[in-house]
């Protein structure tokens, strides 16, 4: 009853689990795509930073919201 509903309530500034799933899929696809390019570490990080902005825009979130939500879960 009420106890499970209380446990399921997430703070307003945290992305819901339902919305996190497609975001995580996109992030993992990006990470795997960057890794398969065999760039050096610095280039991979820069490429990820550039391309991840597309994910945040697509899902209408900020990187900060994503990071905070990842820490929450």
């Amino acid at each position: 009853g009420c106890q499970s509903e209380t446990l399921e309530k997430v703070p307003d500034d945290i992305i819901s689990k339902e919305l996190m799933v497609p975001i995580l899929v996109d992030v993992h696809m990006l990470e795997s795509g960057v890794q398969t390019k065999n760039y050096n570490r610095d280039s991979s990080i820069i490429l990820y930073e550039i391309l991840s902005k597309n994910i945040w825009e697509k899902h209408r979130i900020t990187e900060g919201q994503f990071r905070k939500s990842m820490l929450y879960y």
Side-chain angles (χ1 to χ4, degrees), residues 17-43:
K17 285 184 181 180
E18 293 78 17
L19 295 176
M20 279 295 283
V21 171
I23 296 168
L24 286 170
V25 168
D26 287 347
V27 168
H28 289 305
M29 295 287 286
L30 172 59
E31 288 173 347
S32 120
V34 169
Q35 287 175 355
T36 60
K37 300 284 187 214
N38 292 323
Y39 293 131
N40 68 43
R41 188 172 189 279
D42 290 342
S43 295

Side-chain angles (χ1 to χ4, degrees), residues 45-59:
I45 290 169
I46 292 167
L47 182 60
Y48 175 84
E49 291 298 321
I50 292 168
L51 297 177
S52 66
K53 289 178 181 159
N54 295 329
I55 295 173
W56 316 144
E57 289 174 12
K58 174 183 173 183
H59 294 282

